[in-house]
Amino acid sequence: MKSILVFLLGLLLFSCKQPLNKLKMNTTIVIAHRGASGYLPEHTMEAKAMAFEMNADYIEQDLVLSKDDVPIVIHDIYLDDVTDVAIKFPERKRKDNRFYVIDFAFNELQTLKVTERFNPKTGEQVYPNRFPKGKGNFKLHSLSEEIEFIQGLNTSTGKNIGIYPEIKDPEFHKKEGKNLTEIVLKILDKYGYKTKKDNCILQCFDAYELERIRKELKSELFLVQLIEFPEEVKQLTHFATYANGIGPWYKQILDKKVNGKFTFSTLVTDAHKLGLKVHPYTFRADALDEFSSFEEMMQTLFIDANIDGAFTDFPDLVVNYLNSRN
């Protein structure tokens, strides 16, 4: 199967001109988590094309540097859970038996085949009912390539879909002698993403780094502080001194379920009082946990909890749900 066929199929679906989407900072937004990753291998151009056709408001780019300082769009610093690197370059693993993006030049990374996420120890696909592991001809690409792709589609379709890049593991990059953040900011600036008015939201889990982006590097972009650990929830007042929003794990918004109805923590209301938008992660129709259905998950978080947007592997389902309520 040729990956270009998937591209063309996606392009045909939106061949008719669509009306221009205005910036949606003040309305509920849908963020395509690693693209339409519920349907195609994460962070591939094909997954981004599908997310674009599904009218997500923003498309996410996780960013890691190559050996020759090219920001690569991939979920984390490792290669061996989404590519065939262990087969093509078995001698390049580190002492921990992992293969790192930073150990490969961009031209080497382009030779790898990307597949659906799997456990590198067992080989088992993480989400078994998604795109079959090992099928297709998907490749890695750079941040610049993805920006040009999205901006090109915005031009040719009349849409205005934004980007939502993440600085991944900045401390790891610094220990490797790399300046990931500065390189990414230069590329964003080059393509016209400079201020909060531009259709770009920049995110990071590292609070020190995100604060540095605002205060030391003087970025005027819309910044979102990602939250992973419970103790970070107590730092909202500090986050509000440099960030415009937070991206918590959705379970940090939930409290408990009583008589079939969820109660909530004060996270969303506390954030809103500080002027912070709330974009939780990750809405997955095939990993519902405490919810009886995806509809219940969307109702609970979007309507009952009053979030401002969400990361989702299934952007079409969330877009359709929100549109049905308008």
Side-chain angles (χ1 to χ4, degrees), residues 32-306:
H33 182 246
R34 312 179 202 174
S37 55
Y39 303 101
L40 286 164
E42 64 186 54
H43 281 318
T44 58
M45 282 290 205
E46 291 85 348
K48 304 308 172 76
M50 194 171 196
F52 191 99
E53 186 275 329
M54 290 174 170
N55 287 319
D57 298 296
Y58 290 84
I59 299 175
E60 183 190 40
Q61 302 80 31
D62 293 317
L63 301 172
V64 178
L65 278 184
S66 68
K67 188 175 183 178
D68 48 351
D69 295 335
V70 178
I72 306 300
V73 181
I74 188 170
H75 176 57
D76 53 39
I77 59 177
Y78 306 112
L79 287 163
D80 46 330
D81 45 13
V82 290
T83 77
D84 60 350
V85 65
I87 297 171
K88 287 195 171 129
F89 298 98
E91 74 287 352
R92 302 281 285 276
K93 63 184 177 182
R94 292 196 180 188
K95 291 180 180 179
D96 61 359
N97 291 321
R98 300 302 303 268
F99 294 80
Y100 289 74
V101 177
I102 208 165
D103 292 334
F104 294 80
F106 182 48
N107 64 341
E108 294 177 311
L109 293 169
Q110 289 179 304
T111 69
L112 299 177
K113 183 177 180 179
V114 176
T115 188
E116 187 66 33
R117 178 168 291 275
F118 62 95
N119 184 319
K121 293 182 179 178
T122 66
E124 292 184 4
Q125 188 167 323
V126 173
Y127 297 100
N129 295 321
R130 295 190 181 184
F131 199 93
K133 174 192 166 193
K135 302 297 183 180
N137 185 30
F138 306 102
K139 299 292 183 180
L140 294 170
H141 61 272
S142 69
L143 171 61
S144 294
E145 289 174 321
E146 182 162 333
I147 289 175
E148 290 182 6
F149 180 63
I150 292 171
Q151 289 188 344
L153 286 175
N154 279 335
T155 298
S156 62
T157 64
K159 297 182 183 182
N160 188 24
I161 289 173
I163 63 172
Y164 206 127
E166 179 183 345
I167 304 293
K168 299 295 291 192
D169 209 336
E171 275 304 304
F172 168 81
H173 284 88
K174 289 174 186 175
K175 289 176 183 177
E176 296 284 328
K178 301 287 189 183
N179 293 311
L180 171 62
T181 298
E182 286 86 340
I183 292 171
V184 168
L185 287 174
K186 285 180 181 178
I187 291 173
L188 294 177
D189 184 86
K190 172 186 174 183
Y191 287 99
Y193 302 112
K194 302 176 182 181
T195 73
K196 296 180 188 69
K197 295 181 181 179
D198 300 313
N199 216 1
C200 173
I201 299 176
L202 184 62
Q203 58 177 328
C204 189
F205 276 103
D206 188 319
Y208 172 81
E209 189 70 1
L210 198 69
E211 184 172 10
R212 188 175 79 90
I213 289 171
R214 175 72 79 214
K215 295 182 178 179
E216 181 183 326
L217 301 179
K218 307 297 184 184
S219 174
E220 296 178 20
L221 289 170
F222 193 103
L223 301 183
V224 165
Q225 177 64 63
L226 296 172
I227 298 175
E228 182 177 10
F229 303 107
E231 59 269 21
E232 294 174 317
V233 173
K234 301 174 184 178
Q235 301 176 43
L236 291 186
T237 301
H238 179 62
F239 294 159
T241 64
Y242 60 86
N244 307 102
I246 57 169
W249 184 27
Y250 76 85
K251 290 189 179 183
Q252 293 171 319
I253 294 171
L254 304 175
D255 183 15
K256 53 190 174 183
K257 198 172 189 179
V258 180
N259 297 324
K261 291 285 290 183
F262 282 95
T263 58
F264 305 99
S265 71
T266 62
L267 180 58
V268 175
T269 54
D270 289 346
H272 285 167
K273 287 176 183 176
L274 292 166
L276 295 168
K277 299 293 186 181
V278 183
H279 301 161
Y281 60 88
T282 304
F283 285 37
R284 295 185 172 102
D286 54 357
L288 294 172
D289 295 327
E290 57 275 279
F291 296 106
S292 60
S293 67
F294 198 50
E295 179 86 12
E296 182 189 32
M297 182 182 191
M298 292 186 287
Q299 166 73 32
T300 298
L301 290 160
F302 279 111
I303 309 306
D304 301 339
N306 194 32

